[in-house]
Amino acid sequence: MQLNLTKPICFFDLETTGINISKDRIVEISILKVHPDGKEESKTWVVNPEMPIPAEVTAIHGISDADVVGKPTFKELSKEIYNLIKDSDLGGFNSNRFDIPLLAEEMLRAEVDFDMKNTQSVDVQTIFHKMEQRTLVAAYKFYCDKDLSDAHSAEADTKATYEVLKAQLDRYEDLENDTKFLAEFSSRKKFADFAGFLIFNKEGEECFSFGKHKGKRVLDVLEKEPGYFGWLLNADFPLYTKKVLTAIKLSQFNNKLS
C-alpha cells in the first residue's frame, strides 16, 4: 500500500554520540523524502559532532572519531537539511521520543528556527508496539519478511522504517492511510515540548510535568513567580523546551499590553 499524502513526509534516522537530547550530537543523518505523487528522494550525511564519540557507541553504529574527521558540522549542514524537511511531515522509528527532539536541539543550536506546530509526526515504533511489541529488526522481518542485515546504519534503518509503515497499512484495516491519523495514533501523552517537561491539560493549556509546580499551568506559575522563568532559561533544559516557555511568556506579555 502506498501512503496517501497531502504533503511530503520525510522519514529519517539519526546515529548519535549518545542518548542525552540536550548534550549529545548527530554523527549521521539519513532522510527519505516521499512526495504525494510517490516520488522519493534520499540523502545521507556523515556529520562531525565536534565532540568525541564514545567507544561503546561506536560499537553500536560503527562510526568512529576517524570517520568524522573532515566531515561538515551540523551547523554547516543545517540549512540544507532544513530546506529538505521544512515543507514535510516527519516519520521515524522512536522518532517522537528521540530523533525529533535531538534534531530540534541541533537545529536550534545552529540558529535555525525549527518548529513542529504545523508538522505531523508519525512514529512507526509506537504503531508497531501498539500492534506487536517488537524491535525494528523484528518489525522488518514480521511485516516485510526481510532480514535487516545492516541494522544501525542510518540509511538502512530509514528505508526499513518506510517499508514497515507501508506494510502496517496493508496488514491493519483499522489504520487509516492518512498522515494526521497516523501521527495521532503513534503519539503518546501530548507534550507541549519534545522532552516532556511541559504537557497539555484537558483544556489544552500548557502545564509543568515536573518539580514543585508539577500539574500547574505555566501561565499561572510565570505570573505568580516571575523569577522561575529566568531559572528555567539558565538551567540545563533542552533548547526547544526553553523556546516553548519563551513563546508562552511573550504571549502573556502581549496579552497584558492589549
Side-chain angles (χ1 to χ4, degrees):
M1 181 182 289
Q2 293 300 311
L3 296 184
N4 181 22
L5 302 175
T6 56
K7 63 187 289 190
I9 182 169
C10 285
F11 294 91
F12 78 104
D13 186 71
L14 307 178
E15 303 302 339
T16 66
T17 59
I19 59 173
N20 187 311
I21 291 169
S22 298
K23 297 179 179 178
D24 280 304
R25 302 290 190 267
I26 294 170
V27 298
E28 186 179 39
I29 177 170
S30 185
I31 299 174
L32 173 63
K33 185 170 186 176
V34 184
H35 295 266
D37 62 2
K39 176 188 173 184
E40 300 175 11
E41 51 183 311
S42 179
K43 184 75 175 177
T44 300
W45 298 266
V46 175
V47 184
N48 185 337
E50 301 181 279
M51 65 181 293
I53 304 172
E56 60 271 22
V57 178
T58 296
I60 295 172
H61 54 50
I63 301 172
S64 67
D65 290 336
D67 295 321
V68 299
V69 172
K71 299 297 183 180
T73 64
F74 187 87
K75 186 169 186 177
E76 292 170 332
L77 294 169
S78 59
K79 290 184 179 178
E80 181 181 1
I81 294 172
Y82 181 69
N83 286 335
L84 183 61
I85 68 175
K86 66 181 180 181
D87 64 340
S88 307
D89 292 321
L90 296 177
F93 200 85
N94 193 34
S95 50
N96 284 352
R97 291 192 295 175
F98 181 71
D99 298 83
I100 291 176
L102 201 148
L103 178 63
E105 290 299 292
E106 289 277 37
M107 285 290 185
L108 292 173
R109 273 192 291 267
E111 300 179 342
V112 175
D113 190 19
F114 183 82
D115 204 303
M116 289 286 291
K117 285 182 180 177
N118 299 312
T119 303
Q120 303 287 349
S121 58
V122 178
D123 193 328
V124 175
Q125 185 195 59
T126 303
I127 297 174
F128 183 36
H129 284 180
K130 284 186 175 182
M131 296 297 191
E132 303 295 343
Q133 305 289 313
R134 299 231 174 84
T135 64
L136 178 57
V137 173
Y140 198 50
K141 183 67 175 177
F142 181 84
Y143 288 109
C144 306
D145 196 26
K146 298 178 182 178
D147 294 317
L148 186 53
S149 57
D150 203 12
H152 295 298
S153 155
E155 184 172 2
D157 287 357
T158 298
K159 290 180 179 178
T161 298
Y162 173 46
E163 289 186 40
V164 167
L165 178 58
K166 292 191 292 181
Q168 286 174 330
L169 289 167
D170 284 329
R171 179 176 290 266
Y172 304 115
E173 293 182 359
D174 51 340
L175 288 182
E176 295 180 20
N177 191 351
D178 174 79
T179 306
K180 186 174 187 298
F181 172 86
L182 294 171
E184 292 174 353
F185 187 85
S186 63
S187 68
R188 292 179 171 85
K189 183 178 286 188
K190 188 69 174 176
F191 296 128
D193 64 342
F194 292 128
F197 292 109
L198 307 173
I199 60 174
F200 290 108
N201 61 17
K202 292 180 180 179
E203 289 73 37
E205 301 165 316
E206 296 93 344
C207 298
F208 289 106
S209 67
F210 68 97
K212 64 180 182 178
H213 295 305
K214 184 175 181 179
K216 296 179 183 178
R217 291 198 323 153
V218 173
L219 281 173
D220 293 337
V221 173
L222 298 184
E223 177 74 26
K224 296 175 183 178
E225 194 176 334
Y228 194 59
F229 177 71
W231 176 80
L232 290 167
L233 291 189
N234 290 313
D236 191 22
F237 288 100
L239 294 175
Y240 197 86
T241 300
K242 294 177 181 179
K243 174 184 169 72
V244 174
L245 285 167
T246 301
I248 296 171
K249 181 71 172 177
L250 286 173
S251 70
Q252 180 188 52
F253 178 74
N254 290 332
N255 286 337
K256 287 182 178 180
L257 292 178
S258 59

